Amino acid sequence: MTSAAPAWAHTSEGGFVLLLPTDLYAAGGVIAVAATVILLALLPGGAAERMLRPVGLMRLPRTPVAWRHVTSLCAAMLLVFALWAGQAGPRDPLANPLPLLVWSVFWIAMVTLQGLLGNHWRWTSPWTAPAALLRWLLGPPVLRYPRRLGHAPAIVTFLGFAAILLADVAPSDPARLAGYVAVYAVLTLGLCALFGPAWLVRGEGLTVLMRAYARVALVGRSRGRLAIGLPGWRVMTGPRVSMGLALFMVILLGTGSFDGLNETFWWFGRIGINPLEFPGRSAVIGSSLGGLLGANIALLAVFALSLLLGLRLAGSAMGLAEAFRLFAPALLPIALGYHVAHYLSAALVEAQYALAALNDPLARGQDLLGLGQVQVTTGFFNEQGSVRRIFLAQAGAVVLGHVTAILLAHALAVRAFGTSRRAALSQAPLAIFMIAYTLFGLWLLASPRGV
């Protein structure tokens, strides 16, 4: 005799059939990206770099480290409460604070804000204050972080996070998620005690993720002043990234792309599953993990081949590894654009659930914010006008991400190769890759989805 049990999914993104002229939108997006490539090739050398220069707004006072520790401690206390709620709170993942904090607040909202507005993670990370407290209690780090490891641990921990998101049987089950988060927190703080702050900078995948996206934010600090500029200006003003960090940046894009691909009917057809009779996440664990790994390997290979062909066309003596380190940050706007587009519809719904959870964290009928009973609506998915606006915003995020990436890559190429002509030649294969990826991203948005 078998018993029934609830099955949880990782987000509440509702499915709907998009009856819009998506072929026209895709063509328009690809044309916009292609036109950007042509325009940049015709502009005088250095024009792209000048476009990426930030504008200084005001001088910023040096912020005491203690202030950041206060906000980090608040974030850590919130995480501890959410862990407790994961065990003691409601079983519904859309009412329990822990799944909403991890998948909605952090993964959707905080990652998006980090990439769009600026580096809030230096204030909101739940690790920095506890790690500093451990240093105060235990003394200096026991071990020196091995430089030869580079960012390899960050790649492993981020892929582990992605594997739970995409392949775990119940990533939003509160108790199950509490176990994952508790193990990750203990592991992170333990390694901080061993290696000091170097672990957060190079080994902890979520911190490396946030620091990477901060490089393409609109707002940042430049020469002691608050500055604003086009996305990517911090890449132009910062040092060249290490090979490990460059690999991490490409993996961000590959993981985000597979996050969208594995929900499409096309993918279900490839793995032999009828999406209208989905057998459950346990049936696709192997294919999801294999797809995640395969998508990243394929993207790394195509990106490296595009760079290699570009170097040959430009007649450059630059090595492939150096080119990989130079141009990998140019993929960050594309990865962020996909992240925004993929999760926009989920964010519209889950923001309402998050508000309800703030008002009544343990689903006990409390009304902490005086909002009464929060009514969650998905009515905007049922009207063509609102669906059209949502899709246009998603498509716009994808296209703007690619346009920004092309602008940034061209500016980096001009700086590296000296002339606009050589830069254009070196970027030709990469531009073709980005145009094809634009079409792929827009196809993902318009594809029918399962689960």
Side-chain angles (χ1 to χ4, degrees):
M1 181 177 180
T2 60
S3 60
W8 310 115
H10 76 276
T11 61
S12 64
E13 185 172 8
F16 57 89
V17 178
L18 192 61
L19 299 177
L20 298 175
T22 52
D23 53 342
L24 297 180
Y25 291 124
V30 169
I31 290 171
V33 174
T36 303
V37 174
I38 296 171
L39 178 62
L40 288 173
L42 297 176
L43 285 175
E49 185 170 357
R50 288 193 293 272
M51 293 170 65
L52 287 167
R53 286 177 183 167
V55 176
L57 299 178
M58 57 181 289
R59 183 162 294 279
L60 291 173
R62 187 172 294 275
T63 306
V65 176
W67 291 9
R68 295 201 298 270
H69 284 167
V70 169
T71 56
S72 173
L73 185 60
C74 291
M77 292 172 63
L78 176 62
L79 181 60
V80 170
F81 167 76
L83 281 170
W84 173 78
Q87 295 289 344
R91 297 297 88 198
D92 182 358
L94 293 176
N96 191 289
L98 181 61
L100 289 168
L101 179 66
V102 173
W103 302 126
S104 303
V105 176
F106 170 74
W107 182 237
I108 297 179
M110 293 178 68
V111 170
T112 298
L113 292 175
Q114 180 82 358
L116 291 179
L117 298 182
N119 187 14
H120 66 73
W121 190 245
R122 60 202 301 263
W123 297 90
T124 57
S125 168
W127 313 129
T128 51
L133 180 60
L134 285 175
R135 288 198 303 275
W136 181 72
L137 292 173
L138 303 177
V142 177
L143 300 175
R144 186 182 184 90
Y145 184 84
R147 293 184 62 86
R148 64 181 179 275
L149 285 180
H151 288 82
I155 292 174
V156 172
T157 51
F158 173 70
L159 286 176
F161 174 87
I164 293 172
L165 170 67
L166 300 175
D168 188 77
V169 293
S172 286
D173 175 67
R176 188 179 183 89
L177 184 59
Y180 284 134
V181 175
V183 169
Y184 190 81
V186 170
L187 181 66
T188 297
L189 295 178
L191 289 168
C192 284
L194 283 177
F195 298 116
W199 177 257
L200 293 181
V201 175
R202 296 182 181 175
E204 199 272 300
L206 302 183
T207 295
V208 174
L209 160 81
M210 296 299 253
R211 286 168 62 90
Y213 273 140
R215 294 171 181 264
V216 292
L218 296 170
V219 180
R221 181 187 289 265
S222 177
R223 298 177 181 177
R225 300 182 69 87
L226 180 66
I228 187 170
L230 292 178
W233 68 265
R234 293 189 64 194
V235 173
M236 300 299 299
T237 58
R240 189 167 300 184
V241 302
S242 67
M243 190 62 184
L245 184 54
L247 288 169
F248 186 95
M249 291 173 174
V250 179
I251 287 171
L252 279 183
L253 176 57
T255 300
S257 300
F258 183 71
D259 190 6
L261 181 66
N262 80 324
E263 297 174 355
T264 63
F265 282 15
W266 180 89
W267 174 255
F268 285 119
R270 301 287 75 74
I271 61 177
I273 287 180
N274 181 354
L276 302 180
E277 298 178 356
F278 186 62
R281 287 172 66 103
S282 59
V284 296
I285 292 175
S287 59
S288 296
L289 292 176
L292 175 63
L293 183 61
N296 281 297
I297 292 173
L299 181 60
L300 286 166
V302 173
F303 182 62
L305 180 61
S306 300
L307 294 177
L308 186 61
L309 291 175
L311 294 174
R312 295 286 178 85
L313 286 175
S316 172
M318 180 184 292
L320 177 59
E322 187 179 355
F324 201 100
R325 292 172 55 205
L326 176 64
F327 292 111
L331 297 182
L332 289 173
I334 302 177
L336 182 63
Y338 281 141
H339 186 85
V340 172
H342 178 62
Y343 285 109
L344 177 59
S345 55
L348 294 173
V349 176
E350 294 194 17
Q352 301 174 69
Y353 282 108
L355 184 63
L358 283 174
N359 195 45
D360 185 11
L362 299 177
R364 294 176 178 174
Q366 296 172 302
D367 188 14
L368 301 181
L369 303 180
L371 300 176
Q373 185 176 0
V374 177
Q375 298 293 330
V376 177
T377 178
T378 58
F380 39 79
F381 291 143
N382 300 323
E383 300 177 3
Q384 186 175 0
S386 57
V387 169
R388 184 187 298 273
R389 287 190 291 272
I390 292 170
F391 180 76
L392 285 175
Q394 292 174 308
V398 171
V399 173
L400 284 175
H402 282 81
V403 169
T404 302
I406 290 171
L407 173 65
L408 179 56
H410 185 77
L412 291 168
V414 171
R415 176 185 287 183
F417 301 120
T419 66
S420 185
R421 178 181 177 277
R422 292 190 70 202
L425 287 173
S426 73
Q427 292 299 290
L430 189 58
I432 294 172
F433 160 76
M434 288 185 176
I435 291 171
Y437 222 88
T438 304
L439 182 59
F440 169 69
L442 295 174
W443 171 81
L444 276 182
L445 291 180
S447 294
R449 297 175 181 271
V451 296

